[in-house]
Amino acid sequence: RKPPSSESGICVFGFEANPQRESRLNEINNCYTSRGWDVKYMINAVWYEKSELLFKAQDGIGHGTASHLAKKNEAGVVKVDAIDIVEFMRNLRDKYNPEVVIGKLDIEGAEYQVLPALEKAGFLCANSKGAFQAITLEYHPRLVPEYPADWKVPQTFECEKRTELIHLDSEDYVKDGQKICSDPVSPGESPVNQPQTPFKLKLYIYDLPPYIMSELKDGMSRVKNHYWGTEVWIPELLRGSSVVTSNPEDADLFLVPYPGKARWMKGQQKPEAMDRFYIQVLEYIDILPYYSRYDGKDHVFIFAGGDGASRFPKWRDYIPQSIIMTPESGYLKGEKIVSYAPGRDVLIPGFVPDSLKLFEDFFHRENRKYLFFYAGKTQNVEIRQRLIDLYGGGNYSDIFVSEASMGRKEYLAKASDSKFCVIPRGISLWTSRFYELSIIGCIPVLLGTQWELPFSNRMAYHEFTLRFPELSVSQLRPLLSSISNDRYIAMRAALKQNVRRLMYDVKDTKGSAFDFIVEELSLRANNLRGMKLQARTSAVPGKNIDDGVGAGSGNGLWQLAYPIRRITHPPGFHYFGYFDKSPWSPDQTKILGGRVAVYDSDNPIDAIMEVGYTVVATGEWRTVARTTAFHYQQGCMLQWLGNSNDLIVFNARTSPKADTFCAHIVNIHTGHIRTLPRPVYALSEDGKWATSLNLGRLHTYRLGYGYVVSQEAQDAYKEARAPSDDGLHVMNVETGDAELILSINSVLEQVQPGWRLGGTHDPYTGLPYAMGKPNVQATEEIRVNYENATSNCRAWINHANIDRSGELITFLFRMVCTDGRIQLHGGHNTQQFTIERTGKELWRIPFVFGSHHDFGSKGQLLICDNYKGGTVTASHIKNKNGGYNRTISTQMPRDFGHCSYGPGDSGWIMSDTYAGSPKQCEGSQCKRLFLRKCCNPHLHGNCTENQAKGCHVAKEVGWFGLGTEGGGATRSDLHPRWSRDGSMVAIDSTHEANLGLGRQMYVVTLGKLD
């Protein structure tokens, strides 16, 4: 648990109803997040619905003195906001997709309502997505006597494995942060027990060109002397510091010094205008390779206003992972400013232009007249209006509260004559009042629990500020009056000691806010260094990415004719696998894939793949499940179930390290799992049935296409030459019932002596069967040699795909033979067949060996083959007698690769090639991705003679470098996969491995093809 959350994957949410605990919890929050731990404690009661509850706050010392919900309003009872815990858990599941959830529940009698609500919603079902695996809890029958001591949670949700409820009365929470967060930290020092920063920060500041910056001079001058001045002053102060480097290759972080507020103050405030200006900046910096190298994680942007990064409306699309420096941690007009991420982003003080003079003129003023002060417009904010209503109008001689307009001189005079200054939220949480009023020596009183203050891990705010819930506004006068003079003097002394840390001294930065900002950036850079090192070392084992691993240009792309975008990112390597399944969700918003720790060496039997998807629009990766049944060519046979956008299917082992396999159907939102007894190869388009193969046998004979099994299992498969109880199965997805429709032995018998399927030629088309050496027709001599060899052949079935109607299956039948008198294509003999789902109408396809194939509409089967110099189409047109009219036609030149029809009947075919063509890639081998448009008489009616012979339109998509793809079974083919509407294609590639990215997934945008 010590590493930052970015490494451990652990995050924590906690709820405390007692508002008296808020200051301490805020300290712990800020201390923990400064160490990179994603921890958030909130002042809320936990309930089964959103509401306002009565709460009795007690000190908790001694039996029966714990704080708890109250049934009536009496002494010591306050109102608290309660969250709907079920809604919270749903949001947690949908946003974070957690793998494991555990909880601690000690809510003083509320458990009797909360636990049944969680159970009813499925969150006490351990095998459901986002549900609790275990909860430690204490029951409180003494507080709610109507519930018996042996009370159990009602079971209404159908569940395979229920959450483990462990009775535990633990009060260890009182130790939180004691050894870590006990002392404030001065600038230049590290927090207690925090590892010293092992390096000096090196920051590169982009020099933005005149065409971006020249129009902003007037706006920058205005911003510089405004509360938003940090957008100008921080870059200026950094340029004069020792942390800046002029060499971007040495940089830990990169600052983009664009003063968006200066543009905004020029009157260009429309969202589309601000988007355009920020995108212009990003397009400029993208000329250099540094932003894309780590997806902007090491880039820093400053947003000085209360709207945070929302000043750039499309920030989520362009800079979602960058470091944001902002004074705002909360809400704008009721909407969450999600640009602020604790532990990643940096909260900074607002800029007070004349801070030094204010401090000198007002801070030391004694004998202040007013108990507390507030002056300001309500801005239609409820808490401000309540302040005015309760304390305005001159009803109290010792309180100054007014919404009347006044000049700054009068404002400062009244505020500096007050002991406490009340600071409610405005349109957003942050307000410059806090900094300005602190500087003049008025003790800040914050109303509200959500505003996080800058440098909280380094400053003991509880010593010089007060914070009360907004519900306490009516009690402000007695609360503040009860503070003794000794405590007030101590708070003033603490404020004096800390206030410089909230000021920007542009002449002497020592001990100022600027020093703290540098320290915060150093911590972020330190955390990122681990990520960068991991990405470099895991992407290229044993080598640094600067060693020039991977051929080609900077990012391994040549002659790219269409836009391409990487949609997955480190940590980890991502791929989908084969071309014959669609990773695209029916609504095209998600692309399925797998994440692995290693991609270029054989995986052991217990290697893990994270099964998940990436959100196409944002590139956000979400893990759904894990499996150890996968390989590097076809993954885990991951695919969507029919037309569902919620259900996915993938293969798994029946138990850890087992040699047998099954398939899981998982709801990506709820995590609900249904298991099928056999693994799947392909699904029908409606998701009702599947083909199934022996993937352990496949691994034994064709490394990289089956799943790793034990040596004992491999030996058994080698002994079974051509089993009669194994082969091609079809499985009913709804029931799990499976049937062997064709055994390996029954196929082998038909290609043994006698050639029972028609001798050397196909009886339907009259074409010869492909056998022996490539480009040599079957002759009597080769046939005899082959017949002698088959007695020593071992066989298997692979690539069992289903046509679009769901009625026809094609598969490859392959053999490894020991007779040296015959040269078998690729080291094994391949023959391609089709068969109906019922097991009838077996046809051995002539003219081709069979390798890669794809079903189109109307019985068209595209076969990308290496025999006789071309790719062919095998047509199956069903006749009125129930049989098939079968024909073979040449479709394409010999572009051997992974070919597939586009959606519908457009005639477009996408394919790739294996490594080759160094002339196209600056002398290095690379892979080609291309399109061809082909005329098929069965689909398009009349075709010209030239069209009928081949494909009349060709489009090059691009050439991709090999990077570090491994070899043989671990190579990374492009495996192009059409989107559902044909406008995009997804590929796997290692062409950016030399940038430390290894194997990742990409989307090429084709647009509308003519």
Side-chain angles (χ1 to χ4, degrees):
R1 294 173 294 182
K2 291 183 178 180
S5 295
S6 59
E7 298 178 16
S8 70
I10 296 174
C11 63
V12 176
F13 296 92
F15 301 95
E16 168 59 58
N18 191 344
Q20 297 176 359
R21 304 286 181 259
E22 183 174 13
S23 294
R24 178 59 180 157
L25 291 177
N26 283 333
E27 291 177 19
I28 297 172
N29 271 336
N30 297 321
C31 173
Y32 285 1
T33 56
S34 72
R35 286 148 179 80
W37 300 337
D38 289 341
V39 175
K40 184 65 175 178
Y41 291 115
M42 291 161 272
I43 299 297
N44 293 103
V46 172
W47 199 234
Y48 61 87
E49 63 181 358
K50 286 184 179 179
S51 59
E52 191 176 74
L53 302 176
L54 297 176
F55 183 82
K56 187 167 186 176
Q58 301 187 106
D59 60 15
I61 302 173
H63 180 71
T65 61
S67 300
H68 56 84
L69 296 180
K71 295 183 178 180
K72 61 182 179 178
N73 202 343
E74 57 186 8
V77 171
V78 297
K79 292 181 179 180
V80 296
D81 291 327
I83 68 155
D84 181 340
I85 188 61
V86 172
E87 180 184 11
F88 176 84
M89 292 298 295
R90 286 180 177 139
N91 292 335
L92 182 73
R93 177 192 65 199
D94 295 343
K95 182 175 182 179
Y96 294 102
N97 192 26
E99 296 181 22
V100 177
V101 182
I102 58 176
K104 178 181 185 294
L105 192 71
D106 189 355
I107 51 178
E108 306 299 326
E111 62 270 14
Y112 299 108
Q113 285 76 37
V114 168
L115 285 171
L118 288 170
E119 194 280 337
K120 185 177 180 181
F123 289 107
L124 298 187
C125 183
N127 59 295
S128 293
K129 191 65 179 177
F132 289 98
Q133 274 69 50
I135 298 176
T136 64
L137 75 161
E138 181 184 3
Y139 294 105
H140 301 84
R142 62 177 178 78
L143 292 176
V144 193
E146 57 264 37
Y147 290 91
D150 60 350
W151 180 83
K152 301 294 182 184
V153 181
Q155 295 183 0
T156 63
F157 190 88
E158 185 177 343
C159 185
E160 296 178 9
K161 181 182 179 183
R162 300 199 177 273
T163 299
E164 185 178 7
L165 301 179
I166 305 167
H167 186 270
L168 179 65
D169 182 9
S170 170
E171 309 299 330
D172 284 347
Y173 69 91
V174 298
K175 301 177 183 178
D176 280 357
Q178 284 186 355
K179 294 183 178 181
I180 300 175
C181 310
S182 56
D183 298 317
V185 183
S186 298
E189 299 176 348
S190 294
V192 178
N193 287 350
Q194 180 172 324
Q196 295 289 326
T197 304
F199 66 97
K200 179 182 177 182
L201 174 66
K202 293 182 179 180
L203 179 87
Y204 178 80
I205 302 178
Y206 285 99
D207 185 13
L208 299 180
Y211 72 85
I212 291 177
M213 300 296 292
S214 60
E215 296 181 3
L216 301 182
K217 290 182 180 179
D218 293 342
M220 288 175 65
S221 178
R222 293 172 63 192
V223 167
K224 198 170 186 178
N225 294 296
H226 195 277
Y227 299 120
W228 305 322
T230 49
E231 291 192 4
V232 177
W233 278 113
I234 290 177
E236 193 167 313
L237 293 173
L238 284 168
R239 288 189 183 97
S241 72
S242 61
V243 302
V244 169
T245 177
S246 59
N247 184 359
E249 293 293 340
D250 292 339
D252 302 299
L253 297 176
F254 297 78
L255 176 67
V256 182
Y258 184 66
K261 276 291 184 181
R263 176 68 71 179
W264 187 85
M265 291 186 75
K266 286 177 65 67
Q268 295 161 325
Q269 301 173 6
K270 291 184 178 180
E272 58 269 21
M274 295 306 298
D275 278 335
R276 184 171 67 253
F277 295 130
Y278 274 103
I279 291 170
Q280 183 184 46
V281 173
L282 292 170
E283 287 174 345
Y284 171 77
I285 68 172
D286 204 40
I287 297 172
L288 299 175
Y290 307 109
Y291 185 88
S292 60
R293 186 164 59 183
Y294 298 111
D295 300 312
K297 290 187 179 75
D298 53 0
H299 279 57
V300 183
F301 295 80
I302 306 172
F303 294 94
D307 47 2
S310 296
R311 180 60 56 200
F312 174 20
K314 289 186 177 178
W315 70 267
R316 294 175 182 85
D317 298 326
Y318 288 89
I319 57 170
Q321 301 186 79
S322 296
I323 298 170
I324 305 299
M325 296 174 64
T326 177
E328 180 57 71
S329 64
Y331 293 76
L332 174 70
K333 297 179 181 177
E335 297 182 5
K336 188 76 171 70
I337 299 294
V338 293
S339 61
Y340 174 68
R344 181 195 71 189
D345 298 333
V346 179
L347 287 177
I348 58 175
F351 185 74
V352 180
D354 49 355
S355 57
L356 291 177
K357 188 175 189 305
L358 291 179
F359 179 80
E360 293 170 0
D361 291 348
F362 296 105
F363 187 90
H364 300 286
R365 187 170 180 175
E366 303 292 343
N367 301 317
R368 301 192 175 209
K369 175 181 177 180
Y370 299 110
L371 175 64
F372 69 84
F373 164 90
Y374 169 74
K377 300 295 183 182
T378 62
Q379 296 181 307
N380 293 320
V381 177
E382 182 181 357
I383 185 59
R384 291 190 175 200
Q385 187 62 57
R386 292 193 67 195
L387 265 174
I388 299 296
D389 293 343
L390 288 168
Y391 302 107
N395 294 327
Y396 300 95
S397 61
D398 61 342
I399 295 173
F400 185 91
V401 172
S402 174
E403 64 173 334
S405 297
M406 62 178 66
R408 191 162 187 257
K409 183 177 180 180
E410 182 184 1
Y411 176 89
L412 292 172
K414 294 291 187 183
S416 63
D417 203 15
S418 304
K419 296 171 67 175
F420 300 97
C421 287
V422 179
I423 304 173
R425 64 163 292 146
I427 295 175
S428 63
L429 285 185
W430 98 280
T431 169
S432 59
R433 296 172 186 272
F434 174 78
Y435 306 103
E436 189 172 56
L437 297 174
S438 296
I439 289 169
I440 67 174
C442 190
I443 300 298
V445 179
L446 280 73
L447 295 184
T449 62
Q450 297 165 322
W451 184 17
E452 185 175 337
L453 297 172
F455 320 135
S456 294
N457 60 308
R458 301 168 181 274
M459 296 174 64
Y461 279 107
H462 67 281
E463 294 181 359
F464 62 90
T465 65
L466 296 170
R467 189 191 291 258
F468 298 113
E470 291 184 354
L471 292 171
S472 303
V473 63
S474 61
Q475 304 168 12
L476 275 180
R477 195 165 189 270
L479 285 171
L480 296 177
S481 297
S482 67
I483 294 176
S484 67
N485 190 57
D486 287 344
R487 186 182 177 194
Y488 171 71
I489 292 172
M491 294 184 76
R492 287 263 298 163
L495 178 59
K496 182 178 180 180
Q497 181 182 354
N498 285 276
V499 71
R500 180 170 172 78
R501 300 166 183 176
L502 303 176
M503 300 162 57
Y504 294 88
D505 187 338
V506 298
K507 295 181 179 179
D508 180 11
T509 61
K510 186 175 181 181
S512 72
F514 176 77
D515 272 11
F516 274 78
I517 287 171
V518 171
E519 290 291 329
E520 293 289 331
L521 290 174
S522 297
L523 289 172
R524 273 56 172 185
N526 190 21
N527 289 339
L528 285 172
R529 277 199 164 189
M531 178 272 294
K532 292 179 179 181
L533 180 62
Q534 180 185 16
R536 292 184 178 204
T537 55
S538 59
V540 188
K543 285 197 172 186
N544 187 287
I545 62 171
D546 296 327
D547 291 342
V549 178
S553 62
N555 62 359
L557 287 172
W558 290 266
Q559 304 181 31
L560 189 65
Y562 294 89
I564 187 171
R565 179 167 62 95
R566 179 169 16 92
I567 58 167
T568 56
H569 321 271
F573 309 106
H574 303 77
Y575 71 101
F576 176 73
Y578 226 42
F579 72 105
D580 61 356
K581 298 170 182 63
S582 178
W584 297 83
S585 60
D587 61 10
Q588 296 195 160
T589 63
K590 307 173 188 70
I591 295 181
L592 296 174
R595 178 159 67 183
V596 294
V598 177
Y599 72 96
D600 54 0
S601 61
D602 293 335
N603 56 304
I605 195 169
D606 57 353
I608 293 172
M609 168 183 276
E610 293 180 39
V611 178
Y613 63 91
T614 184
V615 180
V616 177
T618 64
E620 178 187 1
W621 170 262
R622 298 179 182 176
T623 297
V624 175
R626 303 200 307 172
T627 183
T628 57
F630 71 98
H631 52 69
Y632 292 113
Q633 290 301 304
Q634 296 177 290
C636 57
M637 304 298 181
L638 179 61
Q639 48 205 299
W640 296 94
L641 182 63
N643 291 318
S644 173
N645 289 301
D646 306 318
L647 301 176
I648 62 173
V649 184
F650 62 93
N651 291 335
R653 296 182 189 273
T654 54
S655 61
K657 296 188 179 182
D659 291 326
T660 52
F661 305 96
C662 61
H664 294 318
I665 301 174
V666 179
N667 187 305
I668 64 173
H669 303 297
T670 67
H672 181 267
I673 298 174
R674 181 163 68 89
T675 300
L676 299 173
R678 291 189 59 87
V680 301
Y681 185 92
L683 289 168
S684 59
E685 284 196 353
D686 60 11
K688 293 182 178 179
W689 63 279
T691 56
S692 180
L693 302 174
N694 186 332
L695 295 165
R697 184 179 185 87
L698 188 53
H699 169 78
T700 303
Y701 291 112
R702 185 66 167 151
L703 188 65
Y705 290 81
Y707 304 149
V708 178
V709 292
S710 65
Q711 188 60 52
E712 180 181 2
Q714 293 183 50
D715 292 340
Y717 289 132
K718 290 176 182 177
E719 286 296 317
R721 180 175 67 88
S724 57
D725 60 351
D726 194 4
L728 176 62
H729 291 76
V730 295
M731 179 167 56
N732 185 310
V733 174
E734 183 175 352
T735 65
D737 295 334
E739 177 187 0
L740 177 65
I741 66 167
L742 188 68
S743 72
I744 295 174
N745 185 67
S746 65
V747 182
L748 183 62
E749 285 182 346
Q750 299 192 59
V751 296
Q752 290 227 30
W755 293 99
R756 297 174 194 171
L757 284 181
T760 60
H761 288 69
D762 172 44
Y764 296 100
T765 63
L767 293 172
Y769 294 121
M771 56 178 294
K773 296 181 180 180
N775 300 317
V776 178
Q777 292 185 7
T779 65
E780 183 64 19
E781 179 182 0
I782 293 176
R783 185 175 68 82
V784 171
N785 288 338
Y786 178 78
E787 291 172 0
N788 292 337
T790 53
S791 60
N792 295 313
C793 292
R794 296 182 175 90
W796 70 96
I797 291 174
N798 196 8
H799 298 316
N801 292 104
I802 306 166
D803 80 335
R804 296 185 183 183
S805 73
E807 297 299 323
L808 198 64
I809 301 170
T810 189
F811 63 92
L812 302 184
F813 182 79
R814 285 180 160 168
M815 296 181 291
V816 172
C817 304
T818 60
D819 192 313
R821 293 177 295 168
I822 182 170
Q823 179 181 344
L824 298 176
H825 172 51
H828 50 257
N829 181 272
T830 301
Q831 296 137 56
Q832 186 158 357
F833 292 79
T834 61
I835 191 171
E836 286 191 336
R837 176 163 58 95
T838 59
K840 299 178 181 179
E841 293 286 341
L842 182 68
W843 179 41
R844 180 185 175 192
I845 302 174
F847 200 74
V848 296
F849 286 109
S851 181
H852 308 121
H853 49 257
D854 182 52
F855 274 114
S857 61
K858 299 179 183 177
Q860 305 303 296
L861 175 61
L862 182 68
I863 303 170
C864 293
D865 197 68
N866 201 26
Y867 179 62
K868 295 188 73 65
T871 293
V872 304
T873 297
S875 298
H876 302 67
I877 309 298
K878 206 156 191 175
N879 58 42
K880 62 182 180 180
N881 299 319
Y884 291 89
N885 297 325
R886 300 181 172 101
T887 59
I888 299 289
S889 59
T890 301
Q891 278 288 103
M892 291 167 55
R894 183 176 169 180
D895 288 314
F896 188 70
H898 307 92
C899 60
S900 60
Y901 286 114
D905 297 329
S906 66
W908 283 107
I909 293 172
M910 172 75 71
S911 190
D912 63 352
T913 65
Y914 295 120
S917 304
K919 290 183 180 180
Q920 301 292 334
C921 304
E922 301 176 3
S924 301
Q925 284 194 320
C926 57
K927 303 163 194 172
R928 175 183 170 217
L929 186 64
F930 62 94
L931 288 157
R932 293 193 183 279
K933 190 167 187 178
C934 305
C935 187
N936 185 322
H938 297 290
L939 300 177
H940 307 117
N942 295 327
C943 299
T944 67
E945 182 176 353
N946 289 336
Q947 290 174 344
K949 288 182 179 179
C951 299
H952 54 289
V953 177
K955 291 180 180 288
E956 296 296 325
V957 176
W959 298 79
F960 298 80
L962 272 61
T964 52
E965 68 166 0
T970 65
R971 72 182 186 276
S972 175
D973 300 325
L974 299 178
H975 291 154
R977 302 169 292 274
W978 293 90
S979 63
R980 305 278 178 155
D981 65 3
S983 65
M984 295 174 283
V985 63
I987 62 171
D988 303 330
S989 183
T990 55
H991 69 270
E992 286 189 305
N994 61 319
L995 302 181
L997 297 169
R999 184 174 181 174
Q1000 300 294 344
M1001 296 161 58
Y1002 300 78
V1003 167
V1004 179
T1005 300
L1006 304 174
K1008 185 176 180 180
L1009 297 171
D1010 297 327

